[in-house]
Amino acid sequence: MKIAPIGMVLAVLSGSPAAATGTVECTGADGADASVFLSVGRLPVLAVLGAVIEAERTTYATDTDANPDAEPIVFGQGFSDGDRLRADFTDPNIEEILVSVRIERAFEDKAGAEAGIVRVAGRGAWPIVCVSG
């Protein structure tokens, strides 16, 4: 009798959606010197697996081994639904929010648009247009 429930648990865990990932890629709008690349997990909550964000020739990244010249950041908090994505990145000591990404989404049938801002504390904010995949 106990084999069936254990088997069901194993079957559910083996099909975990955490392995599925997607991306959000943004470029500066209206000539803005900014870009955002987010690798996100397909979970019920926003899970940023990696980020590379550039603003005015400064790069911020969650993986500084792959981006040795980048300023290190850590994914702090976020939210995403069909209409918006919000992500905040902190310094490695988690003392302050360094970079914020805000994206609004609008879709109708097969047409859609994604745009927002990337803000770097103490430096400025830049408009971005995005594509999620």
Side-chain angles (χ1 to χ4, degrees), residues 30-97:
D30 297 329
D33 185 15
S35 66
V36 174
F37 178 83
L38 305 176
S39 176
V40 295
R42 305 256 189 218
L43 300 170
V45 297
L46 178 63
V48 175
L49 306 174
V52 178
I53 300 167
E54 295 182 20
E56 288 192 337
R57 295 172 296 285
T58 300
T59 302
Y60 303 86
T62 55
D63 181 2
T64 53
D65 289 337
N67 301 280
D69 295 330
E71 297 290 326
I73 55 173
V74 175
F75 176 61
Q77 62 184 358
F79 169 80
S80 182
D81 65 11
D83 297 326
R84 67 197 53 84
L85 180 143
R86 307 284 186 258
D88 292 325
F89 299 88
T90 70
D91 63 282
N93 293 330
I94 312 173
E95 295 174 334
E96 70 175 306
I97 295 173

Side-chain angles (χ1 to χ4, degrees), residues 104-123:
E104 295 294 323
R105 299 171 170 147
F107 295 98
E108 188 65 36
D109 291 325
K110 294 180 182 179
E114 298 177 77
I117 61 158
V118 57
R119 182 188 65 79
V120 177
R123 302 217 34 226

Side-chain angles (χ1 to χ4, degrees), residues 2-22:
K2 293 184 181 181
I3 294 174
I6 292 170
M8 288 174 39
V9 169
L10 291 175
V12 169
L13 292 177
S14 68
S16 174
T21 61

